[in-house]
Amino acid sequence: MLTPERHQLILTLLEEKHTIRLQELIDHTHASESTIRRDLDTLEKKGKLRRIHGGASSLSTVKEEAPMSEKTEQFHEEKRIIASLASRFIRKKETIFLDAGSTTNLMIPHLDPSVIVVTNGPEHLPMLAEHGITTYLIGGFVKPGTRAVIGANAAENLRQYRFDRCFVGVNGITEEDGLTTPDPEEAAIKKNVLHQSLNRYILADHSKFGTRTFTRFGSLEDAVLITDTSSPLVKTLQKNTEIEVIHP
């Protein structure tokens, strides 16, 4: 494959996925790792993409979110280890909020049955019930694709609760824009949850760093970040927030 063809393929893949790992690009182009790294460096210098740890992300502001079926498959091993680490912060009999999402879902097998869970993630319910965990689902509009409960009714329902800890997903993290997510209504839920929690945690695999999505819902100092990367960007962000790094 000629260099211009590889560059176009890389940009096409980024347009579809918004973030992509180095190994995926190697698999798609059948080029060597060193060649792909040079391609990414060249495209970043031309202002076509942003390099992130282990891959690249689109420069455009992401306004759409991948469906839950796709999220569940992406970076599953990293998410599993992040979820395991996050669950270690929880004490018996605490009340916690579990955000809708694929990483928070993986926390459920690690929860002690004595905790109380409030969630806006209907997909969490079967596993929470299976583990005998007292659960409250906030009511509202069920968002197609991610299946998160959002909207005015959800926000109103949420106001009555206070949490010992919350565990919240994120779509983008940058030094300039903080914590972002594509949907303003979902952002409102996340923002309220952070404000109503004594201890706050953001669960983010490496693909979220260096990515900016449509709606800001928090600052870097608002929560502990739990992630699987120790990239230079994470080291920069540690100036503003506490970061727990796992190494899959």
Side-chain angles (χ1 to χ4, degrees):
M1 186 180 294
L2 298 175
T3 299
E5 294 175 325
R6 276 200 320 277
H7 287 184
Q8 185 55 55
L9 177 56
I10 290 169
L11 295 175
T12 299
L13 290 168
L14 272 178
E15 186 176 346
E16 295 173 357
K17 295 174 171 282
H18 305 303
T19 62
I20 193 163
R21 299 189 70 174
L22 189 65
Q23 188 58 52
E24 290 181 81
L25 293 173
I26 292 169
D27 293 342
H28 276 93
T29 62
H30 305 292
S32 67
E33 180 177 334
S34 60
T35 297
I36 295 300
R37 289 186 184 278
R38 285 196 299 271
D39 288 342
L40 295 181
D41 287 340
T42 299
L43 290 169
E44 183 175 48
K45 288 174 183 176
K46 290 181 177 180
K48 301 292 186 181
L49 53 77
R50 180 187 290 112
R51 292 293 305 275
I52 61 173
H53 177 69
S57 71
S58 171
L59 285 175
S60 61
T61 300
V62 179
K63 297 184 180 180
E64 297 181 357
E65 194 165 0
M68 181 59 70
S69 57
E70 183 178 326
K71 283 184 168 188
T72 301
E73 296 176 359
Q74 292 176 334
F75 313 119
H76 180 80
E77 183 61 18
E78 291 91 334
K79 290 176 179 179
R80 185 187 65 77
I81 302 175
I82 289 169
S84 176
L85 174 59
S87 67
R88 297 176 198 171
F89 290 96
I90 302 169
R91 305 290 180 263
K92 289 184 177 181
K93 299 184 180 181
E94 287 189 329
T95 299
I96 66 171
F97 181 87
L98 280 189
D99 196 14
S102 54
T103 308
T104 47
N105 185 265
L106 293 169
M107 291 179 62
I108 295 171
H110 303 284
L111 299 181
D112 189 275
S114 68
V115 302
I116 296 173
V117 171
V118 178
T119 184
N120 68 329
E123 296 231 331
H124 298 337
L125 298 182
M127 197 182 304
L128 286 164
E130 182 182 331
H131 285 78
I133 295 169
T134 301
T135 303
Y136 294 83
L137 176 69
I138 64 172
F141 170 71
V142 180
K143 180 179 173 182
T146 64
R147 301 165 203 162
V149 178
I150 59 172
N153 288 340
E156 180 63 32
N157 192 193
L158 186 62
R159 287 192 184 98
Q160 66 185 298
Y161 300 115
R162 296 296 181 270
F163 309 108
D164 295 302
R165 302 177 197 277
C166 68
F167 298 87
V168 177
V170 66
N171 298 82
I173 302 174
T174 67
E175 187 174 15
E176 300 80 13
D177 299 297
L179 311 171
T180 59
T181 198
D183 188 328
E185 291 196 57
E186 192 157 2
I189 297 295
K190 294 176 187 288
K191 185 174 183 178
N192 289 345
V193 165
L194 291 175
H195 288 167
Q196 291 166 216
S197 302
L198 292 175
N199 301 281
R200 300 168 292 275
Y201 305 88
I202 299 293
L203 311 187
D205 66 72
H206 62 272
S207 69
K208 311 301 170 56
F209 289 85
T211 298
R212 179 187 65 180
T213 60
F214 187 51
T215 311
R216 184 178 189 272
F217 68 86
S219 302
L220 294 172
E221 61 267 23
D222 286 344
V224 176
L225 296 181
I226 303 179
T227 184
D228 64 313
T229 178
S230 54
S231 71
L233 179 56
V234 167
K235 293 175 182 177
T236 299
L237 296 180
Q238 283 176 323
K239 296 183 297 184
N240 298 313
T241 190
E242 181 181 346
I243 300 181
E244 294 284 341
V245 180
I246 58 97
H247 301 278

